[in-house]
Amino acid sequence: MFEPRFPRQKAITKPKPYSMNPVQQFSHWEATTPGATFLQQPLAGQWKKWTYKEAGDEIRRMATALGTYGLPPKSKIAILSKNCAHWFMADLAIWMAGHISVPLYATFTAATIRQILEHSESKILFVGKLDTWDEQRSGIPDNVQCIGISTYISTPYPTWESLVTQHAPLTTFASLGSDDLATIMYTSGTTGNPKGVMATFASFAYVITEGLKHLEAENGKQRFFSYLPLSHVAERSLVEMGTIYSGSTVYFSESLQTFSENLAHAQPTIFLAVPRIWAKFREKILEAMPQPKLDRLLKIPLVRALIKNAIKKKLGLAKANWVISGAAPIAAELLEWFQRLDVTIRDTYGMTENLAYSHVNLPSVKYGTVGKAWPDVNVRFSENGELQVKHPAIMKGYYKDPELTQSVITDDGYLRTGDKGIVDDEGFLTLTGRVKDQFKTDKGKFVNPTPIELQLLRNPDIDQACVVGMGIPQPIALINLSAAGKSKSREAILESIRQTFSELNPVLETYERLEAAVVMRDDWTVENGMLTPSLKLKRNELEKANLSKYPEWYKTNSVVVWE
């Protein structure tokens, strides 16, 4: 193994006894700051608030209600819902009653819902805020009992609202050991079926306690905004656990249509987004203020600060102390663009299997990297360049799959990430792609697509890019145009792509140089199966749908090919 030097790296230790679990931590704030606002949920344009005392009362009543179902201790209870106040309360009630939570993505199909509920052996399912419930309900096995949340949806099941009125608040919690299983998080799956990642209470406590300490947000009241799927590890670890462990307030979004308005109202102090969100933010800014005009205004000393502050306030970032990007690679050019507005986006790196705790651009930032290893994270590379990490919060394993667990965790406890990267002399990690994303062209050359895709995304006319090349001599790029790109003529797009290629191809190896860009007819979305619920590209699905067309596109002999 190649062992790079990491100045901040320490020997692995067992989790420190931080270790109030989420229920204990919530109960602490419930007792010491009962009137502080915990949850803010927009409903029909009005904000409904729950204080820690009010939420605690509902959570305790629901925990009592769960006790009436006669489940054995540590049974699995699932949550199927978009982000909302009741998601947090359901999670805490499940733990308070001594059970294990199983979050499901609200966009899962009926088939995937059934697969996960059966695999996890879930006994109860909370059914909450959903857009496609009529299509999803057939995925619930007959032996799973359901609780509907009528605040958001009409179901034939007993409702949260009725159950909390029928039961007294629970006063004695179930005993939750630090090494007990807290949750099974099923990955959204860029390839294959979702895998159930097992995380303990100690893992959650370790990651969020360390994280809040280094963000200097341990005790100050923070404002979080929850909109990325809570089934995703980053939102769960940072936003849910961050709110609970810091005794803060979390705001939710009512709908996609009200997202911007809700975020502007929330003005979070800590904000997490994925690269697609940052790209959309830039598009909206430039729709209102085209780049040439923005450039001119930013050069005027008396106007510059006013423009920056107005944009940040409208985005909802006027009070943000920590602005974070994660879940997928982000182009350095996009980070640099936001920096001109004094929005410092800190790119991070992690995965479900390590509770999203691996690398971060903190305290210093180096664009194009995912930062340095967090303290107590040990890092090394295998002989084939695969990044491996180790710290006290690595997953307990994949549920019911010891063989797969053994394949990704080494004998000495390192997690095989599946990612390749390099570390510079200062300890900053640059990811260079996925081990399994490499493809071989007809010339027998292996191409790593990720770095090329990130360079393509520097072009503001390109919203999404996927570099492919199996079965053809040279790679081609499949692209979706941005809103700005879609507003341009085909001739203008041809010139835009030609310019990008003229800058990019000379710095690539000969066998990596792009032959053409194929403008796809349909955008890649969660709904058409090309993106995961966390907005990562499903490369395998895209290849499956388009592989047979590669030779035809390659032979077109044009820089831009329109599907």
Side-chain angles (χ1 to χ4, degrees):
M1 296 287 182
F2 168 62
E3 303 264 5
R5 291 175 297 158
F6 290 87
R8 303 190 311 164
Q9 185 169 295
K10 300 178 182 178
I12 293 295
T13 59
K14 292 183 179 179
K16 302 167 188 174
Y18 299 113
S19 282
M20 280 209 283
N21 62 51
V23 171
Q24 293 169 325
Q25 191 67 64
F26 174 81
S27 299
H28 166 75
W29 300 118
E30 183 188 20
T32 58
T33 59
T37 301
F38 177 37
L39 308 166
Q40 290 229 31
Q41 175 70 52
L43 298 169
Q46 301 296 315
W47 287 89
K48 177 174 172 54
K49 301 178 182 180
W50 284 262
T51 64
Y52 273 84
K53 180 180 180 180
E54 290 166 343
D57 183 68
E58 287 199 41
I59 292 164
R60 291 166 181 273
R61 289 174 184 273
M62 180 51 63
T64 300
L66 292 176
T68 66
Y69 283 78
L71 302 180
K74 301 180 182 179
S75 291
K76 318 303 187 304
I77 299 180
I79 305 172
L80 177 63
S81 176
K82 294 167 69 176
N83 299 23
C84 61
H86 291 78
W87 207 109
F88 274 46
M89 291 193 285
D91 211 18
L92 284 164
I94 291 167
W95 289 331
M96 198 175 282
H99 300 303
I100 297 163
S101 67
V102 181
L104 278 70
Y105 282 91
T107 53
F108 274 157
T109 63
T112 303
I113 291 168
R114 180 176 294 275
Q115 175 198 349
I116 292 175
L117 291 177
E118 290 178 345
H119 184 265
S120 65
E121 302 172 271
S122 291
K123 305 300 183 185
I124 297 174
L125 173 68
F126 284 100
V127 178
K129 188 179 181 184
L130 297 167
D131 293 331
T132 57
W133 167 238
D134 287 342
E135 290 79 29
Q136 293 170 308
R137 61 191 306 172
S138 63
I140 300 174
D142 292 339
N143 65 340
V144 174
Q145 302 184 75
C146 294
I147 297 172
I149 304 174
S150 61
T151 298
Y152 314 104
I153 194 170
S154 176
T155 70
Y157 314 124
T159 67
W160 172 288
E161 291 77 3
S162 62
L163 289 171
V164 297
T165 63
Q166 295 167 16
H167 295 89
L170 187 70
T171 55
T172 303
F173 306 152
S175 175
L176 303 174
S178 62
D179 291 326
D180 284 348
L181 185 59
T183 190
I184 304 173
M185 293 179 286
Y186 282 82
T187 63
S188 55
T190 55
T191 60
N193 292 324
K195 303 181 290 289
V197 174
M198 298 187 289
T200 65
F201 288 108
S203 296
F204 272 134
Y206 171 79
V207 166
I208 194 57
T209 305
E210 286 295 309
L212 289 176
K213 178 173 69 178
H214 292 285
L215 292 176
E216 299 177 350
E218 298 160 281
N219 298 316
K221 298 299 182 183
Q222 304 299 319
R223 298 161 71 97
F224 290 89
F225 186 70
S226 182
Y227 69 101
L228 294 173
L230 275 161
S231 301
H232 189 272
V233 66
E235 186 82 358
R236 191 98 180 274
S237 294
L238 177 62
V239 178
E240 184 190 20
M241 292 299 112
T243 302
I244 292 170
Y245 274 77
S246 64
S248 296
T249 301
V250 60
Y251 297 74
F252 298 91
S253 173
E254 184 168 13
S255 66
L256 184 61
Q257 291 70 35
T258 65
F259 172 83
S260 297
E261 176 188 339
N262 298 153
L263 177 56
H265 172 84
Q267 295 292 335
T269 57
I270 299 175
F271 181 70
L272 168 68
V274 297
R276 290 265 302 146
I277 298 294
W278 294 117
K280 293 299 182 186
F281 280 175
R282 178 167 69 173
E283 277 188 13
K284 291 297 183 184
I285 293 169
L286 294 179
E287 283 178 11
M289 188 179 299
Q291 190 70 59
K293 181 179 179 180
L294 179 61
D295 290 340
R296 285 197 309 273
L297 293 174
L298 290 177
K299 291 177 182 178
I300 303 173
L302 296 177
V303 176
R304 184 187 306 135
L306 293 175
I307 291 297
K308 291 178 180 179
N309 290 337
I311 290 174
K312 287 192 287 186
K313 184 175 181 180
K314 190 167 182 62
L315 282 179
L317 302 180
K319 296 182 179 180
N321 300 316
W322 301 102
V323 180
I324 300 166
S325 182
I330 186 170
E333 178 271 338
L334 187 57
L335 299 174
E336 292 161 356
W337 189 91
F338 275 98
Q339 185 62 67
R340 292 186 63 206
L341 301 175
D342 293 340
V343 177
T344 302
I345 302 172
R346 299 173 184 274
D347 199 9
T348 61
Y349 169 69
M351 52 199 302
T352 310
E353 288 82 350
N354 59 24
L355 276 190
Y357 190 78
S358 181
H359 288 72
V360 63
N361 273 280
L362 181 76
S364 54
V365 174
K366 182 177 283 190
Y367 292 141
T369 79
V370 292
K372 299 180 181 181
W374 286 96
D376 288 340
V377 174
N378 278 7
V379 180
R380 71 186 185 191
F381 292 90
S382 68
E383 292 179 359
N384 72 345
E386 181 185 31
L387 175 70
Q388 300 181 355
V389 299
K390 180 180 180 180
H391 60 65
I394 297 296
M395 69 170 180
K396 199 170 184 177
Y398 293 118
Y399 187 58
K400 291 184 178 178
D401 205 334
E403 290 184 8
L404 185 59
T405 300
Q406 190 173 17
S407 73
V408 299
I409 298 181
T410 66
D411 292 340
D412 56 350
Y414 278 81
L415 173 68
R416 296 184 175 99
T417 66
D419 289 306
K420 302 184 77 170
I422 55 175
V423 175
D424 65 20
D425 292 339
E426 298 176 274
F428 285 89
L429 171 66
T430 300
L431 296 177
T432 58
R434 294 284 295 169
V435 173
K436 294 181 180 179
D437 282 349
Q438 283 187 329
F439 60 84
K440 185 190 288 187
T441 67
D442 262 5
K443 295 179 179 178
K445 294 289 189 178
F446 282 99
V447 175
N448 188 359
T450 304
I452 305 173
E453 291 163 357
L454 287 174
Q455 291 301 311
L456 287 171
L457 292 175
R458 294 178 66 91
N459 184 333
D461 292 330
I462 299 175
D463 183 42
Q464 296 169 297
C466 181
V467 173
V468 298
M470 288 178 60
I472 53 179
Q474 288 289 132
I476 59 176
L478 312 184
I479 65 172
N480 283 163
L481 295 178
S482 65
K486 290 175 181 176
S487 70
K488 294 182 177 180
S489 67
R490 290 196 174 193
E491 291 75 15
I493 292 298
L494 173 60
E495 182 55 35
S496 174
I497 302 297
R498 183 182 284 129
Q499 178 65 30
T500 294
F501 278 20
S502 70
E503 296 170 358
L504 176 58
N505 276 338
V507 301
L508 298 176
E509 297 292 341
T510 303
Y511 59 86
E512 295 177 316
R513 292 175 182 170
L514 298 172
E515 189 71 16
V518 182
V519 179
M520 307 301 287
R521 181 182 299 110
D522 298 319
D523 289 345
W524 305 324
T525 65
V526 174
E527 290 72 23
N528 64 23
M530 296 303 172
L531 297 181
T532 70
S534 56
L535 305 183
K536 286 186 280 192
L537 181 66
K538 290 187 175 182
R539 191 178 296 272
N540 283 12
E541 292 300 317
L542 195 59
E543 291 262 28
K544 190 190 306 181
N546 296 288
L547 182 61
S548 63
K549 305 171 190 174
Y550 295 170
E552 175 189 345
W553 289 335
Y554 179 82
K555 293 175 183 176
T556 304
N557 196 29
S558 174
V559 172
V560 176
V561 179
W562 299 82
E563 187 190 15

